[in-house]
Amino acid sequence: MTRTQRLLASASVLAAASFTSSPAFAAGTTSGTTITNTVTLNYKVGGVDQTAVNASDSFLVDRKVSFTVSEIGSATTSVSPGETNVVTTFQVANSSNAAIDVALAATQLSGGTTTHGGTDNFDVTAVKIYIDTNANGTFDSGTDTQITYVDQLAADSQKTVFVVANVPQGRSTGDVAGVKLSGTASEATAAGSLGATITATSGANTANAVDTVLAEANAANGNTAYDGIDFAFDDYTVLAAALTVTKTSRVVSDPVNGSTNPKAIPGATVEYCIAVANASGSATATNISVSDTLPAETTFVASSIKVDGTMTGSTCNADGAAGGSYAAGVVSGSLSNVAAGSARTLVFRVTVN
């Protein structure tokens, strides 16, 4: 085989490969496409070729409506009591062979086990749905658009949507709120307007018209297959700080006994310890502010405030750093973050009037 022959042979193989493979589309041939097939009949009479006879058949591709609503991610959304604009994220994907609108509704569970294993025991508030306007996968307040439906969702395309809500105050660690995002296939009749709910064509195939088949097959987690509706679940799980505050006092000295077995008599110095503890398994508490109004029977000892001290068991240690302030009979101070399973103290002294 000459070089030229080898090149021609290689080209023939590539050409054959290009004709035998075709791209795969999840949605398939577009709804309303006319498919035409022509047959050619060649024959002879008395050994003489006759004019070929042709026959054609055409039909319209019907509409297959199929879409999914699915949670993005595989974990609960951790939230704090009183937190606003908490987000769960979903994807709406159109595998139909035509554009559709998808009407959306966000509802809340009422008890029972949530999708990530907790037990639903509270409701979030101010529930809204947003579309990922800038397609960055993250909820951006003020940028992403609040919606009630996905408009003109093209075949073989998907959109990210967010369910956004607020968490009530007073919830405890481990509390769970389950949410459900439902989508209903709707006609994509006009941009900016939700079309009517799509229904399946009944009876035999309609000649010269496009029929509709509801083809979403999801029957998991309570979904019903082939009804034009799909939904998915997510949940919010509270991680709260569980703070306790304990106030103790000890007599440091008195005018008679000094520091040996002192008693709380007038003129005695008394040290207060305010201990802030956070239970194990809780969220870290931040921005902690302490305010203590002194009894009228006492006088504050200047420069006696120490903050961020530690404890041994239930006893306040003689540590901490100078800080805090005293004004108008009130001792104030800020503590550093208190992680789960730890404690910090504010200590100050007074004299008994």
Side-chain angles (χ1 to χ4, degrees):
M1 181 181 290
T2 67
R3 181 176 182 275
T4 300
Q5 289 173 319
R6 287 195 299 271
L7 289 173
L8 289 172
S10 298
S12 298
V13 171
L14 291 172
S18 68
F19 282 111
T20 56
S21 63
S22 59
F25 297 99
T29 303
T30 302
S31 169
T33 299
T34 299
I35 294 180
T36 301
N37 190 331
T38 301
V39 61
T40 300
L41 177 64
N42 295 295
Y43 66 102
K44 294 182 180 182
V45 175
V48 179
D49 289 328
Q50 303 298 302
T51 302
V53 179
N54 299 318
S56 298
D57 178 75
S58 298
F59 64 88
L60 289 174
V61 175
D62 290 325
R63 181 173 60 165
K64 180 193 77 171
V65 176
S66 180
F67 74 100
T68 57
V69 177
S70 57
E71 173 200 7
I72 294 180
S74 57
T76 189
T77 299
S78 183
V79 296
S80 302
E83 188 176 359
T84 60
N85 287 344
V86 294
V87 179
T88 55
T89 307
F90 297 84
Q91 182 185 79
V92 181
N94 183 17
S95 54
S96 308
N97 63 341
I100 59 173
D101 288 351
V102 180
L104 298 175
T107 56
Q108 302 192 59
L109 303 187
S110 180
T113 302
T114 60
T115 192
H116 296 297
T119 299
D120 177 89
N121 66 345
F122 80 98
D123 286 345
V124 288
T125 61
V127 180
K128 299 179 178 67
I129 305 170
Y130 290 82
I131 195 164
D132 188 9
T133 304
N134 56 10
N136 67 351
T138 302
F139 174 65
D140 298 306
S141 180
T143 298
D144 294 329
T145 305
Q146 185 178 347
I147 60 169
T148 56
Y149 65 97
V150 180
D151 191 28
Q152 302 282 310
L153 185 60
D156 279 325
S157 68
Q158 58 279 322
K159 295 291 185 180
T160 298
V161 297
F162 308 105
V163 174
V164 181
N166 299 334
V167 181
Q169 285 281 9
R171 305 312 309 185
S172 302
T173 295
D175 286 353
V176 181
V179 292
K180 172 184 175 181
L181 181 66
S182 300
T184 301
S186 304
E187 300 287 356
T189 50
S193 177
L194 175 64
T197 298
I198 294 174
T199 57
T201 303
S202 60
N205 186 60
T206 305
N208 302 317
V210 175
D211 291 343
T212 295
V213 176
L214 298 179
E216 49 80 29
N218 183 17
N221 299 320
N223 274 287
T224 300
Y226 313 120
D227 64 351
I229 299 171
D230 198 46
F231 52 80
F233 300 91
D234 205 343
D235 46 58
Y236 302 99
T237 300
V238 175
L239 181 59
L243 296 184
T244 55
V245 59
T246 305
K247 186 174 182 181
T248 58
S249 63
R250 69 182 183 93
V251 182
V252 176
S253 63
D254 71 48
V256 177
N257 300 298
S259 58
T260 302
N261 298 321
K263 305 296 187 292
I265 60 175
T269 298
V270 175
E271 182 178 84
Y272 284 112
C273 176
I274 300 170
V276 178
N278 195 5
S280 297
S282 302
T284 297
T286 63
N287 302 101
I288 301 168
S289 177
V290 176
S291 179
D292 190 336
T293 301
L294 298 189
E297 299 82 6
T298 63
T299 299
F300 175 69
V301 177
S303 302
S304 66
I305 304 173
K306 292 184 177 181
V307 296
D308 287 336
T310 62
M311 298 185 69
T312 301
S314 60
T315 302
C316 296
N317 296 322
D319 54 10
S325 62
Y326 174 76
V330 178
V331 171
S332 301
S334 297
L335 300 180
S336 299
N337 296 350
V338 180
S342 64
R344 294 187 182 276
T345 65
L346 182 149
V347 174
F348 65 93
R349 290 183 176 185
V350 298
T351 56
V352 179
N353 295 338

